């Protein structure tokens, strides 16, 4: 045995040096190794700067696996990823690991976008195959960002930053995306950062509004409730669609703040409607992965004073699928106190039928894509008919979304669809206009002597 006082032999010096360049877990080179390699290639090509490509690979969904199965399983996956990357990259290329679930690949013979994308696709496919964890298999996907030298940066730091910008865009677009850096993409990212800042400010200033769109009983066009839809009109940016800013708030991690401000406003407005009308509110998928969601919703309702039995939450299949256990718990907690759950955009997701059995929903909203074709396309009509029959059998209520024409409404009525929503019945309008609408509507209803009691 060696005592602490022994001088380190020369080979240890080398080993120390090597360690400084190596990722101890996977045995791959680390960030310093990458930096040196990039500088070396750049120097070699100094006279005739031929392009080469730097790529970053980031695993999608790694963190939940780490949390769920433990860090040992996480380490095992990282080693398998390292192995696969080494095995699939072209000759002369280098793989390094930066930190966490992020790897870099240096590709001396990839000169332009198309080849980078093709290689990215191959890497993505290789990483998507199941990972063997002894008694179980798990699946992951990967997002990639590429930067081509020297256009995306003549210095290592700049090139790396460009590859990270490209990766960031891939991540933002969802799982398994591949992006090659360009000036346009840098612009796009800059715009979305501006949008993010403006949205954060709007939330703080309480400037994001809620509009309401009537949901009616098709039989007599009587209103049974309203769906709350977020509206944001920025003084500089103009009207920004919720289909843009809701996902942005999700990605940047402040959907909670946005959603609770919206729910508060929507619930306050609903207080002044007739009691039998419900408020339907959209929950984003990120909220169904957050175990604090049920508590936060109920505390908003109680602060405003709205009966939970008047609230419906619209959720999508993608949301329940990504984090099934948490979603199930949130749904159960909310249903226990009388909140109802509607499955939104039905028919657009995957494995719809199984979901209906596994989860406890109260209502299904058939996506607009079906309704808009219902009078012109026989196949669509049959699909809608089948959805309605299935929901009847399962004891679920049905709402048809996106009814724009009287003919759509008549067809749906003939098919036995109980409820509908769409421009034909009313566009989304603000809280004051909703009040006005209700006064008009209720007066007409009174004259025709119809009851608006919801069963
Ligand atoms: P969604 O939940 O499917 O909402 C229905 C969308 O269809 C709304 O678009 C509505 O204005 C539009 N629409 C309603 N009837 C018709 C029709 O007859 N024809 C056509 N062409 N469109 C119709 P909007 O308000 O732009 O919202 C887009 C999406 O943004 C919503 O889709 C929802 O996913 C999301 N969203 C809106 N507000 C919120 C919110 O407060 N929270 C969350 N998490 N998401 C929201
Ligand atoms: Ca909705
Ligand atoms: Ca919808």
């Amino acid at each position: 045995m060696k005592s602490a006082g022994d001088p380190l032999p020369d080979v240890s010096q080398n080993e120390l040096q090597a360690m400084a360049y190596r990722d101890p877990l996977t045995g791959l080179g680390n960030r310093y190794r990458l930096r040196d390699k990039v500088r070396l290639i750049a120097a070699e090509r100094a006279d005739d700067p031929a392009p080469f490509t730097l790529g970053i690979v980031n695993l999608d969904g790694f963190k939940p696996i780490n949390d769920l199965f433990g860090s040992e399983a996480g380490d095992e996956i990282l080693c398998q990823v390292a192995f696969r990357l080494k095995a699939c990259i072209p000759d002369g290329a280098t793989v390094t690991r930066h930190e966490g679930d992020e790897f870099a690949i240096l590709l001396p013979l990839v000169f332009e976008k198309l080849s980078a994308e093709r290689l990215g696709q191959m890497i993505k496919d290789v990483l998507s195959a199941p990972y063997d964890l002894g008694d179980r298999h798990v699946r992951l996907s990967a997002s990639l960002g590429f930067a081509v030298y020297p256009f995306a940066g003549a210095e290592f730091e700049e090139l790396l930053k460009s590859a990270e910008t490209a990766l960031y865009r891939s991540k933002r677009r969802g799982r398994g995306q591949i992006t090659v850096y360009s000036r346009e993409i840098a612009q796009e990212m800059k715009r979305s950062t501006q949008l993010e800042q403006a949205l954060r400010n709007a939330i703080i200033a309480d400037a994001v509004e809620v509009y309401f769109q009537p949901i009616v009983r098709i039989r007599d066009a009587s209103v049974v409730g309203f769906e709350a839809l977020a509206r944001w009109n920025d003084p500089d940016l103009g009207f920004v669609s919720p289909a843009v800013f809701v996902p942005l708030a999700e990605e940047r991690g402040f959907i909670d703040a946005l959603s609770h401000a919206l729910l508060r406003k929507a619930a306050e407005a609903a207080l002044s409607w007739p009691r039998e009308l419900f408020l339907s509110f959209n929950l984003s998928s990120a909220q169904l992965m957050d175990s604090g969601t049920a508590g936060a919703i109920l505390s908003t309702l109680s602060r405003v004073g709205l009966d939970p039995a008047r609230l419906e939450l619209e959720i999508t299949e993608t949301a329940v699928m990504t984090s099934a256990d948490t979603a199930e718990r949130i749904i159960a907690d909310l249903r226990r106190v009388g909140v109802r759950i509607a499955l939104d955009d039905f028919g657009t997701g995957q494995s719809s039928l199984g979901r209906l059995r596994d989860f406890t929903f109260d209502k299904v909203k058939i996506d607009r894509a079906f309704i808009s074709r219902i009078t012109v396309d026989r196949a669509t009509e049959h699909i809608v008919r089948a959805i309605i029959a299935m929901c009847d059998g399962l004891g679920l209520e049905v709402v048809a979304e996106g009814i724009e024409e009287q003919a759509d409404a008549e067809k749906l009525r003939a098919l036995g669809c109980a409820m509908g929503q769409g421009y034909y019945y009313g566009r989304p309008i603000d809280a004051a206009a909703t009040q006005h609408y209700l006064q008009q509507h209720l007066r007409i209803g009174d004259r025709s002597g119809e009851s608006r009691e919801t069963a």
Side-chain angles (χ1 to χ4, degrees):
M1 243 177 64
K2 236 175 0 163
S3 81
D6 287 344
L8 291 169
D10 279 352
V11 340
S12 286
Q13 285 293 346
N14 287 340
E15 270 173 9
L16 274 178
Q17 178 104 28
M19 271 164 61
Y21 282 83
R22 202 172 58 215
D23 163 40
L25 176 67
T26 59
L28 294 176
N30 62 16
R31 193 189 180 90
Y32 300 112
R33 170 121 215 109
L34 179 73
R35 182 196 59 194
D36 286 3
K37 279 257 175 189
V38 167
R39 287 181 179 163
L40 192 70
I41 299 182
E44 277 169 12
R45 299 184 182 182
D47 299 335
D48 174 21
F52 61 87
T53 298
L54 173 64
I56 305 184
V57 183
N58 189 294
L59 303 179
D60 301 322
F62 177 70
K63 196 180 173 303
I65 287 186
N66 219 7
D67 294 346
L68 209 62
F69 301 134
S71 61
E72 243 168 71
D75 286 353
E76 174 58 32
I77 287 176
L78 292 175
C79 290
Q80 290 187 31
V81 168
F83 183 80
R84 289 185 194 185
L85 284 174
K86 263 194 299 192
C88 80
I89 55 167
D91 287 345
T94 309
V95 190
T96 57
R97 175 172 171 245
H98 282 186
E99 59 204 27
D101 56 345
E102 194 153 299
F103 296 81
I105 35 178
L106 180 58
L107 303 156
L109 297 179
V110 172
F111 306 133
E112 40 76 50
K113 182 170 184 258
L114 210 64
S115 333
E117 283 171 346
R118 221 174 288 137
L119 196 86
Q121 186 60 48
M122 188 268 285
I123 292 176
K124 201 183 97 181
D125 291 344
V126 167
L127 296 183
S128 303
Y131 292 82
D132 185 6
L133 286 182
D135 51 344
R136 61 167 82 84
H137 294 285
V138 298
R139 278 180 184 276
L140 291 171
S141 61
S143 301
L144 291 95
F146 290 99
V148 182
Y149 171 95
F151 319 111
E155 299 294 331
F156 169 69
E157 281 76 15
E158 201 189 343
L159 192 64
L160 184 66
K161 192 163 161 263
S162 297
E164 268 160 5
T165 301
L167 172 72
Y168 187 42
R169 177 173 178 273
S170 290
K171 282 277 183 192
R172 282 200 40 218
R173 303 194 124 203
R175 293 164 168 242
Q177 298 291 315
I178 298 163
T179 306
V180 182
Y181 177 91
S182 69
R183 211 158 286 148
E184 291 73 39
I185 280 166
Q187 274 296 325
E188 179 194 314
M189 299 307 293
K190 201 171 144 197
R191 268 199 303 274
S192 87
T193 305
Q194 282 166 346
L195 200 65
E196 177 189 347
Q197 283 313 319
L199 181 57
R200 283 182 187 275
N201 290 336
I203 295 171
I204 292 167
D206 207 16
V208 184
E209 291 304 329
V210 189
Y211 274 41
F212 301 93
Q213 185 180 32
I215 299 173
V216 308
R217 193 156 56 196
I218 294 181
R219 175 157 46 87
D220 54 9
S222 59
V223 187
V224 290
F226 288 91
E227 175 174 0
L229 293 160
R231 289 291 178 269
W232 175 34
N233 214 333
D234 185 80
D236 300 323
L237 302 166
F239 176 80
V240 185
S241 164
V244 171
F245 70 78
V246 170
L248 184 75
E250 278 193 78
E251 283 153 20
R252 310 294 165 100
F254 56 97
I255 186 68
D256 280 8
L258 173 62
S259 189
H260 291 124
L262 293 170
L263 180 60
R264 177 180 47 77
K265 288 188 183 188
E268 278 165 359
L271 278 184
S272 62
W273 308 339
R275 265 202 66 85
E276 67 269 22
L277 299 189
F278 63 82
L279 166 69
S280 206
F281 188 81
N282 292 285
L283 267 200
S284 80
S285 40
Q287 291 178 285
L288 278 175
M289 297 176 200
D290 176 354
S291 56
T293 293
I297 290 173
L298 295 177
S299 92
T300 301
L301 289 186
S302 100
R303 238 176 298 139
V304 174
L306 189 78
D307 181 357
R310 290 185 64 194
L311 181 69
E312 279 191 12
L313 293 172
E314 302 193 3
I315 64 182
T316 61
E317 279 176 77
T318 2
V320 281
M321 258 161 40
T322 14
S323 191
D325 289 348
T326 314
E328 207 166 354
R329 225 170 305 128
I330 295 171
I331 292 175
D333 287 351
L334 289 165
R335 287 186 89 233
R336 204 170 305 123
V337 294
V339 176
R340 293 153 50 81
I341 307 291
L343 188 59
D344 203 358
D345 306 338
F346 185 74
T348 55
Q350 296 162 2
S351 72
S352 316
L353 303 182
R355 288 297 127 190
L356 286 182
R357 200 194 48 206
D358 296 348
F359 277 90
T360 27
F361 300 111
D362 302 284
K363 188 182 262 185
V364 164
K365 298 188 81 176
I366 307 176
D367 194 75
R368 175 157 59 90
F370 293 102
I371 307 307
S372 61
R373 290 201 308 265
I374 195 170
T375 57
V376 291
D377 180 33
R378 293 284 296 177
T380 306
E381 182 187 329
H382 282 298
I383 293 171
V384 172
R385 188 196 301 275
I387 297 176
I388 294 168
M390 184 182 63
C391 289
D392 278 348
L394 291 168
L396 297 168
E397 292 188 311
V398 187
V399 180
E401 293 190 302
I403 301 177
E404 293 185 352
E405 310 283 342
Q406 188 175 355
D408 302 337
E410 278 163 10
K411 172 69 78 184
L412 285 158
R413 184 177 178 171
L415 293 177
C417 181
M419 282 177 273
Q421 177 182 0
Y423 294 167
Y424 173 64
Y425 294 108
R427 290 182 179 255
I429 46 177
D430 70 17
T434 301
Q435 271 300 336
H436 189 69
Y437 172 93
L438 277 172
Q439 276 157 14
Q440 298 281 322
H441 194 86
L442 296 179
R443 220 175 298 136
I444 294 166
D446 286 346
R447 243 180 289 149
S448 64
E450 278 162 1
S451 147
R452 268 167 318 279
E453 289 293 300
T454 47

